[in-house]
Structures are given as structure tokens and as C-alpha cells.
């Protein structure tokens, strides 16, 4: 699952916890010219504080006076009530993370539906791929994807993705996809021992705690990368097995044109080949080896009894062989 690391961008100067630079994120400032078209393609708004960026976009979508367009992105310097899967809380100090959500409208005026309802679940993994590539591009750190919606650095969670399906006032199905990335947090500021941040990992691997990843450039890479991937995914009708067309920009947030979304994800999915415990609501836990990502986006697990089972929904714990008998111990 190795891949070459692109050269990291230079970090922002002027100390930690700098505010996001709106001019860069909207494509008005030519700091990242290769991303400018994608940043200008739809509104990008930075808010000081919200309950969550997902909630904010869903609220705007339901308001007939707002009418947010396809690709609209909302970022927050601080979330009061950020959430992950199963309504778990996601909190961090102000200006320490990248927290953003993007609106996807498969039905847009003047054009056919771009994605069918049965392909919308891929948008979570689309954001995971954009986030994974953005972290590598900006920090040089070896981020990988944990199925279905986390990003890991050396087995510790540094980012989470959450998607919500919501109708607009006309009843058209839309999706809000959010991501939160721990950036400028020391290890003692992290909420749980199994979490990490870009700063903490830089300190651990190279003693570079004084180097702060530029949150603005990271956010720009995530937004542009997701929009670019989305354009290409729509171009193949939401079919994850079809080769994606070439990217229109010279940046690294997306796979090569001869790669399908499914191939790109398999190459970056840290879950594959690992012993896992899958926790599913209302069902016994499933333990076995994660073998593949299916054409439907499910995780194919070979259970300990030898039976192969497809898992479409569930929380996955990566197990270490010496500790897998413990309740949650040794997980990552």
C-alpha cells in the first residue's frame, strides 16, 4: 500500500493557531494557483463557531431562502457540537483543526441526474480519499484510510468523516459530507489515547513540534480534491469500477486517470489484510480478516469459521493478535 510522498507545502508562518485565510480558500488569492478553479467553483465560507458544519449546511439546505448550490463548502474555526458515527462527540480547541462540510446535489437544474441514489454511499469514501491525499501532500505524513470513515496515522485516528442525506425544499435528495482533521494539537490535548494529530505525529517522528501544518492550505487541498474527485466520479456515472477521467488540475488529491475509484481506495485502505472486530448494532460482533472492498463498497471479511461475509454498516476495530481478546484493548 505504499505510495510516493509529494513534497510538503511550506507551513504558515506567524505561530500556531492562526485563523483560516478566506482569500486563499475562495480562490481569490493566488497562493495555490493549481487549485484556484476548483476553489472558485462554488461558495466557500468560513464561520467562527457553529454547532457543526454538517448541521449548518443541512439547515441552509432546508431553508428555501438560502438555496446553497452544488459544491458549497462551509468551514468552522470551532464546533460546539461536532459529531461522528453513532452521535459520538468530536471536539477540539478553536483553530486547532480543519472542520468542513461540502454539499452534493446530484440533481441540478438544466442537467440530468449525475449520481443515482445507490451510489451516494461512495461519497464518504470519496471524502476519505481526498482527505488522505491532502494530509500527505501538505504534511508528508503517511495517512491511510480505515473503513469506512476514518483516517489513520500509524494506526491512530487523525480524522473522521460523516455524511448525511437530506432533501431540499423541493424534495430532491442531497448529501452533506463533513470531515474533521486534528491538526495543531499536542498529544496531551487529544481527547482519547487512540487519537493523534498532524502536530503530534510530526513531533513523534522528527521532533518537529515547532512546525505547524498550514490549516488553510490543508483545507484548500481537501475542498479542491473532493470537488475534483466528485467531478470525475460523476463523469463515470457513479460507477466505482470504471476508470476515472484525467484530473483537470495538476494536483495530487485524486488517483491517476487509469485508476478506478475502487482501485484507488483499495490501495489506500489500511483495513485490508488486518484482523478486525466489526461492531454492528443489534448483532453479535464479527471477528475475522478483512480481505477486500467489494464493488458495492462493503468490507469483505473472512470470519474465524472460514465463512466470508460482506459488511455494509458497522464500526471496525483493528486488532493486534496478542491483545485481541481484550475488550477494545490493542485496537487502532
Amino acid at each position: 500500500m505504499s505510495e510516493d510522498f509529494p513534497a510538503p507545502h511550506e507551513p504558515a508562518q506567524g505561530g500556531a493557531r492562526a485563523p483560516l485565510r478566506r482569500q486563499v480558500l475562495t480562490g481569490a488569492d493566488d497562493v495555490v494557483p493549481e487549485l484556484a478553479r476548483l476553489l472558485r467553483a462554488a461558495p466557500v465560507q468560513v464561520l467562527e463557531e457553529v454547532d457543526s458544519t454538517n448541521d449548518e449546511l443541512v439547515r441552509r439546505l432546508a431553508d428555501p431562502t438560502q438555496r446553497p448550490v452544488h459544491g458549497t463548502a462551509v468551514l468552522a474555526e470551532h464546533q460546539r457540537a461536532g459529531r461522528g458515527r453513532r452521535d459520538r462527540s468530536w471536539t477540539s480547541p478553536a483553530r486547532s483543526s480543519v472542520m468542513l462540510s461540502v454539499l452534493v446535489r446530484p440533481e441540478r437544474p438544466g442537467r440530468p441526474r449525475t449520481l443515482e441514489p445507490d451510489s451516494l454511499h461512495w461519497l464518504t469514501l470519496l471524502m476519505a480519499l481526498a482527505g488522505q491525499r491532502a494530509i500527505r501532500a501538505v504534511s508528508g505524513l503517511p495517512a491511510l484510510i480505515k473503513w469506512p470513515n476514518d483516517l489513520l496515522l500509524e494506526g491512530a485516528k487523525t480524522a473522521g468523516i460523516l455524511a448525511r442525506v437530506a432533501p431540499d425544499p423541493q424534495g430532491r435528495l442531497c448529501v452533506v459530507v463533513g470531515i474533521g482533521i486534528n491538526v495543531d494539537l499536542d498529544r496531551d490535548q487529544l481527547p482519547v489515547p487512540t487519537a493523534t494529530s498532524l502536530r503530534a505525529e510530526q513531533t513523534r517522528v522528527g521532533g518537529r513540534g515547532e512546525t505547524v501544518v498550514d490549516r488553510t492550505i490543508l483545507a484548500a487541498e481537501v475542498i479542491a480534491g473532493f470537488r475534483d474527485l466528485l467531478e470525475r466520479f460523476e463523469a463515470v456515472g457513479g460507477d466505482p469500477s470504471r476508470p476515472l477521467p484525467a484530473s483537470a488540475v495538476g494536483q495530487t488529491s485524486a488517483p491517476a486517470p487509469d485508476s478506478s475509484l475502487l482501485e484507488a481506495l483499495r490501495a489506500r485502505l489500511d483495513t485490508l489484510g488486518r484482523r478486525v472486530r466489526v461492531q454492528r448494532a443489534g448483532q453479535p460482533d464479527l471477528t475475522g480478516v478483512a480481505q477486500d472492498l467489494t464493488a458495492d463498497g462493503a468490507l469483505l471479511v473472512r470470519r474465524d469459521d472460514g465463512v466470508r461475509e460482506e459488511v455494509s454498516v458497522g464500526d471496525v476495530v483493528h486488532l493486534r493478535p496478542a491483545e485481541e481478546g481484550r475488550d477494545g484493548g490493542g485496537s487502532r
Side-chain angles (χ1 to χ4, degrees), residues 73 93 105 141 153-154 187 195 204 214 223 234 236 238 241 293 307 322:
R105 283 184 173 271
L141 293 168
L153 285 168
E154 299 299 328
R187 198 160 296 281
R204 184 184 64 80
D214 188 327
I223 295 167
E234 288 179 326
V236 296
S241 64
L293 186 67
V307 174

Side-chain angles (χ1 to χ4, degrees), residues 1 132 136 142-146 150-152 267-270:
M1 292 187 191
Q132 181 260 349
R136 287 186 174 228
L144 288 170
I145 300 169
K146 176 187 172 189
D150 289 340
L151 297 179
L152 305 179
R268 295 160 175 84
L269 199 59
D270 192 45

